[in-house]
Amino acid sequence: MGFRHKDIIALKDLNKEEIELLLDTADSLSEINRRDIKKVPTLRGKTVINLFYEASTRTRTSFEIAAKRLSADAVNITASTSSVTKGETLSDTANNLLAMKPDIIVMRHSISGAHEYLAKRVSCSVINAGDGAHEHPSQGLLDMLTMRQKFGKLEGLKVAIVGDITHSRVARSDIYGLTTMGAHVFLAGPPTMMPIGIERLGNVTVCKDMREAVDQADVVMMLRIQLERQGKTLLPSMREYARYFGLNPAVLALAKKDAIVIHPGPINRGVELSSFVADCDQSHILKQVENGVAVRMAMLYHVCGGEPVE
């Protein structure tokens, strides 16, 4: 099957076959990243604009690398160096960029729904690189690729997601993607950071205790506390958070022996996980970063109308 979407806004919009297609393509394209000359002519002549209204290291860099490895021309724009600082609206920014005939706009924005708004107003493809506390589809896909490479499947896996669930767009994308693929997601975090009714998103269990979520888990995902989106402090102290919701060797021992630890980054060592856990053999955090380039290559490839990669 081909990929039938012009844009990739949310994993909620994709079915199982479409997610599998993106993961299979990423697996195929990952070989390019291991070559001496890491470039293929697949998207030669295409223009990708990375429009980032929020700070980013991994996502923006990997989208730029992904575009260049497919031979597309990549242009990076940040809010601090654009006409946004002069009062230009998102709609006007989009129209001006569209006049330059890009093929894809990759955008990160602090407002949930900004990408859907943009996609309705431009003829080129739009890829969501994170919008508010809504979704982060490329992170969800690279997380699933990392899990599938380790276990050979996603169906039937127990995945524990621990931390600031309310403000995490990564958590939402992972929940939508993993439950669509047949995994069972267990959530844990402070009550002030757990959205009411999140169980309705799919095969999701909310745990009052972190140990319950981690017990016999195949994957343990730790989330950063999103202080920049909270507006006020929702916990007494970082020390107390680390005590009850930080991943240390004793808690990790409750998971399966071959369990892996993942984190969307950036890591706050000593808060959501200890340095020992971040650097241990079970940590696949850097593998996630590596897979991020392949996944974003697959996303760019398919919104440009690519056929399944052999």
Side-chain angles (χ1 to χ4, degrees):
M1 61 166 284
F3 194 75
R4 57 188 178 85
H5 299 273
K6 176 181 82 74
D7 314 299
I8 301 179
I9 307 297
L11 293 190
K12 183 181 179 181
D13 301 333
L14 306 182
N15 59 34
K16 183 176 180 180
E17 290 72 25
E18 290 163 340
I19 291 174
E20 284 182 337
L21 176 61
L22 287 167
L23 296 180
D24 289 343
T25 303
D27 249 338
S28 299
L29 293 174
S30 64
E31 180 270 332
I32 297 169
N33 297 324
R34 296 187 291 271
R35 297 179 183 179
D36 291 333
I37 299 176
K38 302 174 180 64
K39 181 164 287 207
V40 293
T42 310
L43 296 185
R44 181 183 294 163
K46 302 291 185 180
T47 302
V48 179
I49 294 179
N50 294 319
L51 178 61
F52 277 64
Y53 286 84
E54 287 186 315
S56 172
T57 300
R58 285 158 297 278
T59 304
R60 192 184 75 172
T61 303
S62 60
F63 264 117
E64 181 181 2
I65 291 173
K68 289 180 176 179
R69 287 187 178 168
L70 294 175
S71 296
D73 297 310
V75 180
N76 296 315
I77 302 173
T78 60
S80 61
T81 59
S82 73
S83 293
V84 172
T85 59
K86 302 175 184 178
E88 187 173 71
T89 65
L90 174 59
S91 180
D92 286 336
T93 298
N95 287 332
N96 279 277
L97 293 177
L98 195 61
M100 301 177 199
K101 310 302 181 186
D103 298 283
I104 305 171
I105 296 177
V106 178
M107 185 172 77
R108 170 171 286 190
H109 204 284
S110 60
I111 299 177
S112 300
H115 296 77
E116 187 173 356
Y117 173 88
L118 178 66
K120 292 178 179 178
R121 286 162 174 78
V122 298
S123 55
C124 67
S125 295
V126 174
I127 294 178
N128 183 359
D131 62 327
H134 174 226
E135 275 213 48
H136 193 343
S138 65
Q139 183 69 44
L141 288 167
L142 72 89
D143 290 343
M144 287 189 285
L145 180 61
T146 304
M147 297 176 206
R148 197 177 74 164
Q149 288 174 343
K150 167 65 177 179
F151 300 105
K153 63 174 184 177
L154 293 170
E155 187 174 2
L157 293 183
K158 176 179 179 179
V159 181
I161 303 179
V162 181
D164 185 1
I165 308 297
T166 294
H167 303 94
S168 176
R169 54 195 174 204
V170 174
R172 281 169 178 74
S173 284
D174 275 271
I175 289 170
Y176 285 127
L178 286 167
T179 56
T180 297
M181 301 305 291
H184 190 176
V185 178
F186 287 73
L187 304 178
T192 52
M193 300 180 186
M194 186 67 65
I196 297 173
I198 196 165
E199 302 96 324
R200 294 194 291 269
L201 295 186
N203 190 11
V204 176
T205 300
V206 176
C207 306
K208 294 182 179 180
D209 190 298
M210 175 186 178
R211 291 173 175 267
E212 180 187 348
V214 174
D215 185 46
Q216 294 303 301
D218 298 288
V219 181
V220 182
M221 172 186 283
M222 304 305 298
L223 300 174
R224 180 177 63 87
I225 300 174
Q226 307 273 318
L227 293 175
E228 70 275 17
R229 294 194 178 90
Q230 292 182 9
K232 61 180 180 179
T233 302
L234 298 177
L235 68 161
S237 68
M238 291 295 186
R239 179 177 293 180
E240 181 169 323
Y241 179 88
R243 178 181 177 184
Y244 291 104
F245 296 101
L247 185 63
N248 55 46
V251 177
L252 180 57
L254 298 172
K256 291 180 180 178
K257 289 184 179 181
D258 63 343
I260 63 172
V261 177
I262 61 176
H263 190 300
I267 300 170
N268 290 311
R269 292 172 181 261
V271 181
E272 62 264 23
L273 77 174
S274 68
S275 287
F276 178 86
V277 173
D279 300 327
C280 73
D281 292 339
Q282 289 175 269
S283 173
H284 278 50
I285 296 171
L286 293 180
K287 185 64 177 176
Q288 289 174 271
V289 179
E290 178 184 338
N291 284 334
V293 176
V295 159
R296 285 153 184 147
M297 289 168 70
M299 296 172 80
L300 295 172
Y301 176 76
H302 280 296
V303 295
C304 277
E307 294 300 322
V309 177
E310 294 297 332

